[in-house]
């Protein structure tokens, strides 16, 4: 286990910028508007020879406990409690504010290893203002600029004795065999949907902990938050995302950034759980999100939340299935799970559906079996003969998985109608239990690659 370092401070002092600098990725949203970060975000950090887990927090704010700001502060306090070392950031440009002194008193009482960081020290004036931080009584402040990467050497020297050896020996990582994500790694599961459909509530219910900030306010989640989890021996990375609205309705730059972060999380996911509000299911935006998931080639599971509030469950279920079949005809057998994230009812059916879909999404089919299927499909329903010349389908092979992608070699490939491709896709699903994931069927012209693979370079 890597040591854990929490970044703490009042809003807009540069916590997320420092988090991105330490992890080497722009994974946390950064914006001039204060209070962008609301949930805890974790990542693996490297600072020279030190390896540790770093936690970005919403910051500390004086607010009633039941308010949104108060709940954000509670999440930050939980991050501090679980940390081995705390980095307390103050803004050297604006100088000390009363909140800084209040929070310094609270941190001092925790008796936790603590480093005081004076951030935004790009110029001489800011460096001089960092001297104010001495008044907090937390020791010598470390002057740095997270935005420009200045002062990281001083941070390294201060962190090193607090982290011990800085995690496992680096040579162990260098000598370990490298495996691709396709061979090994967690199931990347992203929870996606419109704002306020209960995505964070569902993730909290799945992991059995109030890890993510929830509440009645719409749009609480802004960053995509990844949580490592285990489901019956299957490693899972759960990714909660910001709600997606129609782009025409987005006028705020921060919401636009949050939406881009959600779409980026989708590109790296294996399976997307599209959470619907069962009291107003399958609005146009739901279908638009579903189409984006299929277009990205991700596995898609539909989860109808708030099912306990539905007045006519049977009719609602039929309506959802009918609209899915009409709007997504190329994805047969999409899993649909009804549940209540708030009460937990039906949530236990979600992960089995996700794992089954993930297995189908990863499936590889031997070439011999595919060509036996192709011969039987051709015998049942031969391809058409445009202008009196029969289209010959010669050979089929699986080009890749994730999603299952097949290459079909034929003469007159351009003349094969879409209806016949749909026939073959449906046959593949039936023959090899590929219901749920998107399929890709690519037409190729040329001779049988099994016979002259070297000549054609295929």
């Amino acid at each position: 286990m890597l040591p854990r370092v929490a970044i703490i401070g009042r809003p807009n002092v540069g916590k997320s910028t420092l988090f991105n600098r330490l992890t080497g990725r722009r994974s946390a949203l950064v914006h001039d508007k204060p209070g962008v970060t609301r949930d805890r975000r974790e990542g693996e950090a490297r600072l020279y020879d030190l390896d540790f887990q770093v936690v970005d927090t919403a910051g500390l704010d004086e607010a009633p406990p039941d308010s949104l700001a108060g709940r954000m502060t509670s999440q930050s306090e939980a991050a501090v409690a679980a940390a081995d070392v705390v980095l307390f950031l103050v803004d050297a440009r604006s100088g000390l504010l009363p909140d800084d002194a209040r929070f310094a008193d609270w941190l001092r009482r925790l008796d936790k290893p603590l480093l005081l960081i004076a951030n935004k020290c790009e110029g001489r004036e800011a460096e001089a203002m960092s001297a104010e931080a001495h008044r907090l009584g937390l020791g010598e402040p470390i002057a740095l600029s997270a935005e420009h990467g200045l002062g990281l050497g001083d941070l390294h020297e201060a962190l090193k004795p607090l982290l011990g050896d800085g995690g496992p020996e680096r040579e162990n990582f260098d000598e370990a065999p490298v495996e691709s994500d396709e061979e090994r790694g967690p199931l990347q599961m992203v929870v996606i949907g419109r704002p306020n459909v209960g995505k964070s509530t569902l993730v909290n219910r799945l992991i059995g902990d109030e890890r993510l900030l929830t509440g009645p306010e719409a749009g609480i989640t802004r960053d995509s938050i990844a949580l490592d989890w285990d489901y019956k021996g299957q490693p899972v990375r759960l990714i909660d995302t910001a709600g997606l609205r129609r782009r025409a309705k987005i006028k705020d730059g921060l919401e636009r950034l949050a939406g881009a972060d959600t779409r980026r999380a989708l590109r790296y996911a294996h399976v997307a759980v599209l959470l619907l509000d069962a009291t107003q299911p399958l609005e146009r935006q739901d279908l638009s999100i579903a189409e984006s998931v299929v277009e990205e080639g991700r596995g898609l599971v539909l989860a109808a939340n708030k099912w306990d509030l539905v007045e006519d469950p049977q009719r609602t279920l039929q309506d959802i299935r009918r609209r899915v079949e009409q709007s997504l005809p190329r994805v047969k057998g999409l899993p649909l799970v009804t549940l209540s994230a708030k009460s937990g009812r039906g949530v236990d059916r979600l992960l089995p559906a996700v794992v089954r879909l993930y297995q189908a999404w990863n499936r590889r089919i031997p070439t011999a079996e595919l060509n036996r299927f192709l011969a039987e499909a051709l015998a049942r329903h031969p391809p058409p003969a445009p202008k009196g010349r029969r289209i010959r389908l010669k050979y089929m092979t699986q080009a890749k998985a994730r999603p299952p992608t097949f290459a079909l070699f034929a003469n007159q490939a351009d003349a094969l109608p879409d209806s016949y491709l749909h026939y073959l896709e449906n046959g593949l699903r039936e023959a090899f239990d590929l219901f749920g994931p998107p399929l890709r069927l690519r037409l190729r012209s040329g001779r049988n690659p099994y016979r002259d693979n070297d000549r054609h370079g295929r």
Side-chain angles (χ1 to χ4, degrees):
M1 293 291 292
L2 293 175
R4 187 176 294 264
V5 176
I7 305 174
I8 205 81
R10 59 180 170 81
N12 214 34
V13 295
K15 299 182 295 297
S16 294
T17 304
L18 179 58
F19 176 88
N20 287 343
R21 175 69 62 179
L22 293 173
T23 58
R25 298 175 60 188
R26 289 176 171 265
S27 50
L29 294 185
V30 176
H31 196 274
D32 291 338
K33 185 177 180 179
V36 171
T37 301
R38 288 175 170 175
D39 285 293
R40 284 177 275 163
R41 176 186 284 275
E42 300 184 7
E44 290 190 9
R46 162 68 80 86
L47 186 59
Y48 304 117
D49 60 340
L50 296 178
D51 296 288
F52 52 94
Q53 194 80 2
V54 64
V55 184
D56 185 23
T57 68
L60 300 166
D61 207 345
E62 284 286 321
D66 58 347
S67 66
L68 177 58
R71 300 198 305 274
M72 289 163 60
T73 296
S74 296
Q75 287 283 327
S76 300
E77 290 170 350
V80 170
D84 298 298
V85 179
V86 176
L87 304 183
F88 179 41
L89 263 65
V90 295
D91 186 336
R93 286 185 201 157
S94 63
L96 293 184
L97 299 182
D99 282 347
D100 294 315
R102 249 193 321 271
F103 300 141
D105 289 339
W106 171 68
L107 289 167
R108 194 182 299 109
R109 290 194 298 270
L110 294 179
D111 193 25
K112 178 92 62 173
L114 174 70
L115 294 177
L116 176 61
I117 311 293
N119 191 29
K120 306 183 185 179
C121 284
E122 293 87 357
R124 292 182 180 180
E125 183 180 355
E127 288 181 12
M129 292 180 69
S130 73
E132 283 188 54
H134 279 287
R135 295 193 283 114
L136 296 176
L138 297 175
E140 180 75 20
I142 299 168
L144 62 79
S145 168
E147 183 176 0
H148 296 94
L150 304 175
L152 295 178
D154 294 334
L155 177 59
H156 168 264
E157 290 305 312
L159 263 180
K160 192 166 186 175
L162 299 178
L163 296 182
D165 60 3
E169 291 293 326
R170 174 52 46 184
E171 56 265 30
N172 291 344
F173 290 109
D174 294 338
E175 293 172 3
V178 177
E179 296 178 307
S180 71
D181 180 61
E182 189 163 337
E183 294 169 332
R184 189 174 181 84
L187 189 170
Q188 304 266 3
M189 170 183 153
V190 62
V191 181
I192 199 166
R194 291 183 283 119
N196 214 32
V197 293
K199 297 182 294 295
S200 298
T201 302
L202 175 60
V203 173
N204 285 343
R205 174 66 64 178
L206 287 169
I207 65 176
D209 183 23
E210 292 299 311
R211 173 62 179 77
L212 299 174
L213 195 64
T214 61
E217 303 90 348
I220 290 179
T221 301
R222 285 171 171 165
D223 297 82
S224 297
I225 304 297
L227 303 172
D228 291 321
W229 185 54
D230 183 273
Y231 172 73
K232 296 184 177 179
Q234 168 69 61
V236 178
R237 170 156 285 195
L238 284 172
I239 306 167
D240 184 32
T241 62
L244 290 174
R245 294 199 301 157
R246 292 172 59 190
R247 297 194 186 195
K249 292 186 176 182
I250 299 175
K251 295 182 171 43
D252 180 61
L254 183 54
E255 185 178 356
R256 192 172 294 110
L257 281 175
D261 195 43
T262 296
R263 293 182 178 90
R264 183 166 53 249
L266 174 61
R267 285 197 295 272
Y268 290 98
H270 300 151
V271 176
V273 174
L274 174 55
L275 200 62
L276 313 172
D277 184 338
T279 63
Q280 38 184 267
L282 279 180
E283 295 189 349
R284 182 190 297 180
Q285 178 64 359
D286 294 320
L287 293 171
S288 175
I289 295 170
E291 288 170 359
S292 298
V293 173
V294 174
E295 188 67 26
E296 285 287 345
R298 309 301 97 182
L300 175 62
V301 175
L302 301 178
N305 190 26
K306 308 181 185 179
W307 197 252
D308 49 336
L309 303 179
V310 173
E311 295 181 359
D312 190 342
Q314 186 174 0
R315 181 177 178 181
T316 302
L317 195 61
Q318 290 174 347
D319 288 345
I320 293 174
R321 293 193 184 281
R322 177 178 49 79
R323 292 203 62 193
V324 168
E325 290 174 3
Q326 291 174 348
S327 302
L328 300 169
R330 297 291 296 273
V331 189
K332 299 288 185 182
L334 279 182
L336 172 59
V337 179
T338 59
L339 55 86
S340 168
K342 188 173 182 180
S343 69
R345 184 178 179 183
V347 172
D348 59 335
R349 298 196 301 268
L350 179 60
L351 262 295
V354 168
V355 171
R356 283 194 301 271
L357 181 61
Y358 177 66
Q359 291 168 346
W361 187 72
N362 276 288
R363 187 160 300 148
R364 288 190 175 274
I365 302 167
T367 299
E369 293 184 25
L370 282 172
N371 283 284
R372 279 196 296 272
F373 155 78
L374 180 60
E376 293 170 0
L378 293 174
R380 284 193 303 269
H381 180 27
K387 299 181 180 179
R389 185 185 175 195
R390 178 74 62 185
I391 297 175
R392 291 181 57 229
L393 303 181
K394 305 174 182 178
Y395 181 82
M396 178 181 281
T397 187
Q398 185 169 359
K400 70 181 188 72
R402 305 159 70 95
T405 302
F406 303 94
L408 180 62
F409 292 83
N411 72 333
Q412 303 184 80
D414 294 341
L416 193 68
D418 287 344
S419 59
Y420 199 83
L421 287 177
H422 297 167
Y423 161 70
L424 292 177
E425 287 178 8
N426 291 334
L428 283 167
R429 292 188 189 278
E430 291 279 355
F432 302 108
D433 193 21
L434 291 174
F435 291 102
L439 299 187
R440 303 284 188 262
L441 191 54
R442 311 296 191 199
L443 278 173
R444 305 280 178 85
S445 297
R447 286 184 269 184
N448 187 333
Y450 183 74
R451 293 180 179 173
D452 50 8
N453 184 54
D454 293 336
R455 183 183 303 174
H456 292 279
R458 293 191 181 103

